[in-house]
Amino acid sequence: MTVRRLSAGLVAAALFTPALAACAGGTTGTAGSTASPTVSASGAPSASGGAPVSGDAKQALLDSTKEISNGNFRFTLSGAGSTAEGQVHQPSQSAAMKFSIGGPSSDLAMKLDVIHAKPDSWVKLELTGPTADSLPAIKQLNLGKYQHLDQARIKGNKNLGFDFEKVDPAGSAVLTQGITEVRSTGTGTYAGTIDVTKAAEAGSLNAATIAALGTQAKTVPFTAKVDPQGRLSELVLQLPAGGQTAAQEIRMTYSDYGSATAAQKPPADQVVEAPAELYSLFN
C-alpha cells in the first residue's frame, strides 16, 4: 500500500493504487445551444476554441476547496472497485472512516473501520478471500474488534496515521491548482482538464499510476460541482488507460460542511492492542 495521508494513506491505497482511469466525455453543446468556452489556466481561450474569458471558473474551483481545510465535513471516495466514506471533525480532533477494498472475487479483500480521536487511533480490520484464508498471519488480524494503535509505532506512518493539519482525504486543493482548462457548464458545475503530475504530493494518486499515464497525466478530464455556498461538493476524474490498467473513474464528494460530528471512540470491551502483524501489513 502506498499512501500519503488520511489514514489518508488507507484511502489512497484503496482507491488510487492500481491505475484508475476513464476517457473524457464530449464537450459539444446540445442541439440549438452553444457550448461553454474552454479557458486555459491563464484565462486565455484554449485550442478547443471559445471566446476569451476570464479565469473566474478556475478561481471559483480554487476557492471551493478552502472550507475543506477547516476540517469539518463528510466525504466519500470511489474508484478501482474500492470505496471510502467518513467524516472529519477538527473541533474535536477526531475522524472516522470506513474503507472497502476489493470484492467477493478478489484474492484478498479488505474492509477497514478506522477511528481517530487524538491522541488515540483504532482500526477494525476484516480480510477475506483465498489469501486471507491461507495465511495464519492474516487470520490473526481478523479479530472482530478494534485494534488500538501504538502512536509511537505509527509516527510518520502514512498508512495508519492521520494528520490534522492536512485533513483533506483526496488533496482536492492540489488537484484544482493543476487545472489547465476549465469551463462553466451550468450553475455550480464545471468541466475541463487537470494536470495530475503533482497529485502524488497531495496523496490523491499513486506515483506509479501517474507515471503509467505518461503525457496523458497532464490533461486528465474532470467535472466538478459546488454547492450554493460555492464549496466543492463533487470532483470526478476520468483517467485514461495507462500501462497495464484500464480506464476508470475516480469520484470524490464532500458534504455537511460545518455540521459533521465528533467521532465516537469504540467501547472498551471491543478494543484490543494491535499485534505486530498489523504494523507489518501497513509498513
Side-chain angles (χ1 to χ4, degrees), residues 111-193:
K111 290 184 179 180
L112 297 157
D113 186 346
V114 184
I115 300 173
H116 297 282
K118 201 171 182 179
D120 293 300
S121 300
W122 301 265
V123 176
K124 187 176 183 180
L125 182 65
E126 179 184 351
L127 296 161
T128 58
T131 297
D133 295 337
S134 64
L135 297 178
I138 290 183
K139 288 183 178 181
Q140 293 178 30
L141 299 177
N142 282 331
L143 303 176
K145 292 188 175 184
Y146 287 92
Q147 301 180 51
H148 181 253
L149 300 171
D150 181 345
Q151 295 299 310
R153 298 188 67 172
I154 66 171
K155 185 177 181 180
N157 186 306
K158 297 174 182 178
N159 294 313
L160 295 176
F162 186 91
D163 187 349
F164 280 98
E165 298 301 317
K166 299 178 180 180
V167 296
D168 184 3
S172 295
V174 172
L175 286 172
T176 54
Q177 288 170 12
I179 290 174
T180 53
E181 293 182 353
V182 62
R183 65 187 182 281
S184 173
T185 56
T187 303
T189 61
Y190 303 88
T193 58

Side-chain angles (χ1 to χ4, degrees), residues 40-51:
S40 70
S42 64
S46 73
S48 59

Side-chain angles (χ1 to χ4, degrees), residues 17-271:
T17 299
L20 318 168
C23 298
T27 58
T28 304
T30 55
S33 66
T34 301
S36 301
T38 299
V39 58
S40 70
S42 64
S46 73
S48 59
V53 295
S54 71
D56 290 349
K58 181 176 181 179
Q59 189 60 52
L61 289 178
L62 290 173
D63 292 343
S64 75
T65 66
K66 292 181 178 178
E67 184 66 22
I68 297 173
S69 65
N70 290 331
N72 193 329
F73 58 88
R74 296 181 184 276
F75 71 90
T76 67
L77 296 169
S78 62
S82 302
T83 61
E85 62 178 356
Q87 63 189 48
V88 177
H89 192 250
Q90 180 74 286
S92 63
Q93 295 278 277
S94 67
M97 305 148 226
K98 292 185 177 181
F99 312 97
S100 178
I101 308 169
S105 60
S106 301
D107 186 55
L108 176 63
M110 180 184 299
K111 290 184 179 180
L112 297 157
D113 186 346
V114 184
I115 300 173
H116 297 282
K118 201 171 182 179
D120 293 300
S121 300
W122 301 265
V123 176
K124 187 176 183 180
L125 182 65
E126 179 184 351
L127 296 161
T128 58
T131 297
D133 295 337
S134 64
L135 297 178
I138 290 183
K139 288 183 178 181
Q140 293 178 30
L141 299 177
N142 282 331
L143 303 176
K145 292 188 175 184
Y146 287 92
Q147 301 180 51
H148 181 253
L149 300 171
D150 181 345
Q151 295 299 310
R153 298 188 67 172
I154 66 171
K155 185 177 181 180
N157 186 306
K158 297 174 182 178
N159 294 313
L160 295 176
F162 186 91
D163 187 349
F164 280 98
E165 298 301 317
K166 299 178 180 180
V167 296
D168 184 3
S172 295
V174 172
L175 286 172
T176 54
Q177 288 170 12
I179 290 174
T180 53
E181 293 182 353
V182 62
R183 65 187 182 281
S184 173
T185 56
T187 303
T189 61
Y190 303 88
T193 58
I194 289 179
D195 179 351
V196 301
T197 55
K198 295 184 179 180
E201 299 175 12
S204 307
L205 295 170
N206 179 279
T209 298
I210 297 172
L213 292 174
T215 58
Q216 296 179 106
K218 292 184 175 295
T219 55
V220 171
F222 81 93
T223 58
K225 297 179 182 179
V226 299
D227 66 14
Q229 289 72 44
R231 302 169 301 194
L232 185 67
S233 59
E234 180 183 84
L235 179 62
V236 180
L237 302 181
Q238 303 285 356
L239 275 73
Q244 300 298 312
T245 58
Q248 212 165 125
E249 175 182 278
I250 300 174
R251 183 180 301 271
M252 319 161 200
T253 70
Y254 300 88
S255 63
D256 294 339
Y257 285 105
S259 60
T261 56
Q264 298 299 305
K265 298 180 181 181
D269 62 355
Q270 291 297 309
V271 174

